[in-house]
Amino acid sequence: MSSSASPRSLSAHTHNTFHIPADLAFLFTIRALDPDYAVQPGQTAGQFWVPPNLHNAYQTRPETWYRWVGGRITRVANNESARLANCEVFAAATVFTQMPDTPHLLAVPFDAQNQDVRDYPPGWRTLSFHHFPVNGDARRTYAFITYLGSEARVAGPGSPGIVGPLLPSVYHYHHTIDGNNREIPSEKDHAGLIGSLPVLLALAAFSATPSLLDQTLTRSVLPGTWHPHSFPGGYFQERGIVVTVYLDPSRPKESTRPLLEHLQNGGFGPFYGP
């Protein structure tokens, strides 16, 4: 089940000084997901391709385990990952590109190999955002990435080196043009990305090709920010990823559901800074 925040809960979690605790931790897995058209033929919604809506209409792929501690990621050794199958799930997401039909990303808040999307009433939805002011400052605005958001884009201009590689251009802030064809300055500044932890991690995975997943996660995901890389991009046709976030049993005090909710709600600052 997905963990999410309401505007009220998010506002209560923001404060003046942001700092990701060095010992805050969680585990997560990433698994590629490829449609099996022998089970369910390709389908469209309107004129655009959408992934299968049956849990058995995917080819099974191996998953890779990672550990996030204080904003930095390391790969979990194989001998340890074999013992982690029964960890408590915090949240999961399945995310697909819709290339080449559209640059949007489609997602559901669960592992699409464990649950039929046809039984989830919203179905496949394009990723979207809620806009939340940072500590009541209407100028500085977080983009809370989610599945049923009220906004289609981030709230204001952000760093091209961070927003650009992590989000397809369709999600970038677009300037409003006045009657004289002049740009109207934004009333908001993009203060960073927060929201669903599985989706935030999926964005990092999509930023490079699958063969460079380890290098991308361990080098570019840093505490509260994103370090741009020069790897080939990973937004290619019908690419699917499942990310599942778990509580880390080796750190029971530093890996709890309230702490991870606080993290994704912006209580420790942005997951990826502006």
Side-chain angles (χ1 to χ4, degrees), residues 138-142 155-157 186-192:
R139 179 78 191 184
R140 299 180 61 239
T141 305
Y142 281 139
S186 171
E187 296 181 355
K188 299 178 180 179
D189 293 325
H190 173 61

Side-chain angles (χ1 to χ4, degrees), residues 151-237:
E151 305 290 342
R153 305 175 186 274
V154 299
S159 167
I162 295 177
V163 175
L166 282 172
L167 287 171
S169 60
V170 69
Y171 296 113
H172 295 186
Y173 171 77
H174 282 197
H175 288 281
T176 302
I177 304 298
D178 67 13
N180 295 317
N181 203 32
R182 294 176 300 190
E183 290 185 356
I184 300 174
S186 171
E187 296 181 355
K188 299 178 180 179
D189 293 325
H190 173 61
L193 290 173
I194 59 173
S196 165
L197 295 180
V199 172
L200 290 168
L201 294 164
L203 295 180
F206 277 121
S207 75
T209 56
S211 63
L212 295 168
L213 180 61
D214 281 4
Q215 296 96 314
T216 301
L217 294 177
T218 57
R219 297 179 188 178
S220 289
V221 179
L222 299 176
T225 192
W226 168 262
H227 180 70
H229 60 67
S230 58
F231 300 146
Y235 284 97
F236 53 78
Q237 183 172 350

Side-chain angles (χ1 to χ4, degrees), residues 78-96:
N78 290 338
N79 60 347
E80 182 185 1
S81 63
R83 304 192 299 269
L84 297 175
N86 295 320
C87 292
E88 181 180 345
V89 174
F90 172 73
T94 304
V95 187
F96 268 90

Side-chain angles (χ1 to χ4, degrees), residues 20-28 65-76 197 201 217 221-225 245-246 248 251 254-255 259-260 263 268 270-272:
I20 293 178
D23 53 1
L24 181 64
F26 60 83
L27 295 163
F28 67 96
W65 283 84
Y66 297 92
R67 175 173 276 116
W68 183 100
V69 180
R72 297 181 182 275
I73 294 173
T74 56
R75 182 166 175 168
V76 175
L197 295 180
L201 294 164
L217 294 177
V221 179
L222 299 176
T225 192
V245 173
Y246 301 85
D248 188 343
R251 301 166 183 263
E254 298 84 16
S255 186
L259 283 173
L260 297 191
L263 172 66
F268 298 118
F271 196 85
Y272 299 127

